[in-house]
Amino acid sequence: RGSQAIPSVMAVIKLLFILAAIVVGIRYKFFVGYLLLAAGIATYLLFVSGSPIELASGVSSVVWMTFTSTEFFRLFAAILIVTVLGNLLKEIGSFDRLSKAALKLIGGKRSACAVLPAAVGLMPMPGGALMSAPMVRDVLKEDDVPAPMMAVTNYWFRHVMELFWPLYPGLILGAGITGVPIQHLSLMGMIMSLAMIFIGYLFFLRKIEGRGRGRGGDGGSGNLKPLGEILQAIWPLLFAVSLALILKLDIVLSLLASILLLIIIQPESRKVVVKAIQETISIRLFFMVFGILVFKDMLDISGAVKSIPEEISRTGIPDSLIIFAVPFLIGLLTGMVAAYVALGFVVLSGFLYLPEINLSNIFLAYFSGYLGVILSPAHFCLVLSSEFFKTDISQVYRKFSIPLSIVAVFGFCLYFLNYPWVG
């Protein structure tokens, strides 16, 4: 495969060039799956030296490794099956019942558009925004809400839980690496989740008419009955998550078991299961997952990501900027929380937990990586949500750039005020 390029200032320039090319490609409406596949190959060619034959062999080896990897099949299967389950629930009317129940909540459509994606966000599964997208669409189908607004509302509230919900792999991995109890990490991130909810209300929910049957809508009582109806509508999802969390069953097997139980309990689902599968299978979905993972693997094997912290540390810039930059860039390039936690936290160990734990630095590292993931064009949920609502990712970016900047400023202020304020 040739030898890896020596880390230098050129490494950062190359990565910025690749990122800029991805952004330009998105702007000109190239399909993200193909775009990231090409970007991954370009990354390898830029960061690895060797003869043309060696480079071609190296690229093909990585592509084949990704294609045959357990991670690819697990992610593709999870997204495929969760989409089948979503289509099945749609066909038997579960989403309609869920949307109607959510509209009875206090706040009507505004509450529904926040609660539905956030509820799905409690389930740590790849591409979860694709599960909540049809719910948001059904709530707003009678309103003149632009597709980018629906996509960004779904995307934003799908991820408000990820900063503190202790079931997410990022927090579990962060606790294991740093030695900080996961309860502490969860409480530490909760303030940022609350900030995202508040900012999301100001920028997104307020632009949605609050009509509904909850209090302040069409005169409903606003009692707990809608919550029971919501649980009844999404019990297959809750069942799958319960199997995964309580019995520690793989999420793919949990989803399959949930589909099987749904078919047994609700006979009407048998008539539409084939249709649900046919609506799900597509070459675009395959290349979407494959392209993202090829890009991630090319970054890893070429040494491109690993060169970032070393190069930044040479510049003599403040520690806070290094702690911010490393997880942010890894998150931006990979679109995966587990990637910036696994690599970034270890690389930054001297700043975060060695020789002693520094909660403020851990807060900054986790939060900055999260910002990178939310902004990443390789993020499954961003791609899937934009695809579902048939809108350009660039339009979604424009919708959330200012609110995310406000959330970022709030997080930085907390850090410079030495948050969290506990020993």
Side-chain angles (χ1 to χ4, degrees):
R1 294 184 183 178
S3 58
Q4 293 185 358
I6 300 174
S8 67
V9 69
M10 287 301 297
V12 176
I13 294 175
K14 290 175 183 177
L15 286 173
L16 291 176
F17 170 77
I18 292 167
L19 184 60
I22 293 173
V23 172
V24 171
I26 290 172
R27 176 67 180 82
Y28 283 94
K29 302 181 181 180
F30 284 98
F31 176 53
V32 175
Y34 302 149
L35 188 62
L36 290 178
L37 180 62
I41 294 173
T43 299
Y44 189 93
L45 297 178
L46 286 173
F47 279 87
V48 177
S49 60
S51 68
I53 294 178
E54 289 175 325
L55 291 175
S57 175
V59 168
S60 61
S61 295
V62 177
V63 170
W64 179 251
M65 180 196 73
T66 303
F67 179 71
T68 57
S69 68
T70 302
E71 181 185 14
F72 168 64
F73 281 103
R74 185 177 181 278
L75 280 174
F76 181 63
I79 291 178
L80 188 70
I81 296 169
V82 78
T83 307
V84 169
L85 179 55
N87 286 333
L88 194 55
L89 291 174
K90 179 188 69 175
E91 292 294 333
I92 64 175
S94 292
F95 285 161
D96 289 335
R97 293 193 296 273
L98 178 61
S99 299
K100 290 176 182 177
L103 286 170
K104 298 177 186 177
L105 296 169
I106 298 172
K109 293 185 178 182
R110 291 174 178 171
S111 295
C113 287
V115 169
L116 294 174
V120 173
L122 295 174
M123 299 178 280
M125 61 178 64
L130 193 59
M131 181 64 72
S132 57
M135 303 181 195
V136 172
R137 179 199 58 193
D138 289 347
V139 168
L140 300 176
K141 61 185 177 183
E142 296 178 357
D143 294 33
D144 188 22
V145 178
M149 178 58 73
M150 288 193 285
V152 74
T153 301
N154 178 60
Y155 182 62
W156 185 275
F157 284 98
R158 163 65 177 84
H159 293 91
V160 295
M161 301 295 184
E162 199 161 359
L163 285 159
F164 85 95
W165 189 242
L167 299 180
Y168 272 93
L171 283 174
I172 295 173
L173 193 57
I177 292 174
T178 64
V180 177
I182 195 167
Q183 297 90 336
H184 292 181
L185 292 180
S186 177
L187 289 173
M188 192 164 63
M190 188 175 295
I191 190 171
M192 297 309 304
S193 290
L194 293 174
M196 284 197 70
I197 292 171
F198 178 69
I199 297 300
Y201 169 77
L202 292 180
F203 281 85
F204 310 130
L205 298 184
R206 283 206 310 169
K207 297 179 181 179
I208 297 171
E209 293 188 32
R211 292 193 308 269
R213 285 180 284 173
R215 190 180 304 159
D218 294 337
S221 61
N223 55 30
L224 296 178
K225 185 178 179 181
L227 295 179
E229 294 174 353
I230 289 174
L231 294 176
Q232 196 173 29
I234 62 171
W235 72 261
L237 300 178
L238 300 178
F239 178 73
V241 173
S242 298
L243 290 178
L245 298 181
I246 297 175
L247 300 182
K248 307 298 182 183
L249 195 63
D250 184 85
I251 189 64
V252 173
L253 297 178
S254 300
L255 288 165
L256 286 173
S258 184
I259 291 174
L260 180 61
L261 186 60
L262 176 62
I263 292 173
I264 294 172
I265 293 178
Q266 296 184 233
E268 67 271 24
S269 63
R270 301 170 195 169
K271 302 176 183 178
V272 294
V273 65
V274 174
K275 181 180 179 182
I277 294 173
Q278 289 175 338
E279 290 180 350
T280 300
I281 297 175
S282 72
I283 193 69
R284 286 174 69 87
L285 180 61
F286 173 86
F287 274 104
M288 190 180 301
V289 179
F290 186 59
I292 289 173
L293 290 187
V294 166
F295 183 54
K296 181 184 76 70
D297 288 341
M298 290 292 188
L299 284 169
D300 181 34
I301 291 176
S302 68
V305 173
K306 294 178 182 177
S307 68
I308 296 173
E310 181 177 347
E311 184 56 39
I312 292 176
S313 64
R314 292 178 182 180
T315 63
I317 59 178
D319 291 351
S320 59
L321 289 182
I322 296 175
I323 296 168
F324 165 78
V326 172
F328 178 81
L329 289 175
I330 296 173
L332 184 66
L333 289 166
T334 65
M336 296 182 178
V337 173
Y340 80 74
V341 173
L343 180 57
F345 277 33
V346 172
V347 170
L348 296 172
S349 58
F351 298 104
L352 306 186
Y353 55 92
L354 293 176
E356 58 185 23
I357 292 172
N358 187 315
L359 290 179
S360 289
N361 287 351
I362 291 173
F363 168 78
L364 178 62
Y366 194 88
F367 172 59
S368 63
Y370 174 83
L371 290 177
V373 167
I374 294 297
L375 287 167
S376 175
H379 190 167
F380 280 108
C381 287
L382 177 60
V383 176
L384 292 169
S385 194
S386 300
E387 281 279 311
F388 180 86
F389 289 105
K390 299 185 182 349
T391 184
D392 293 340
I393 291 180
S394 59
Q395 293 181 310
V396 180
Y397 275 128
R398 284 196 289 270
K399 289 289 184 183
F400 73 68
S401 58
I402 293 178
L404 190 66
S405 298
I406 294 173
V407 172
V409 169
F410 177 69
F412 297 147
C413 288
L414 286 176
Y415 171 73
F416 289 114
L417 291 173
N418 294 316
Y419 177 84
W421 304 296
V422 293

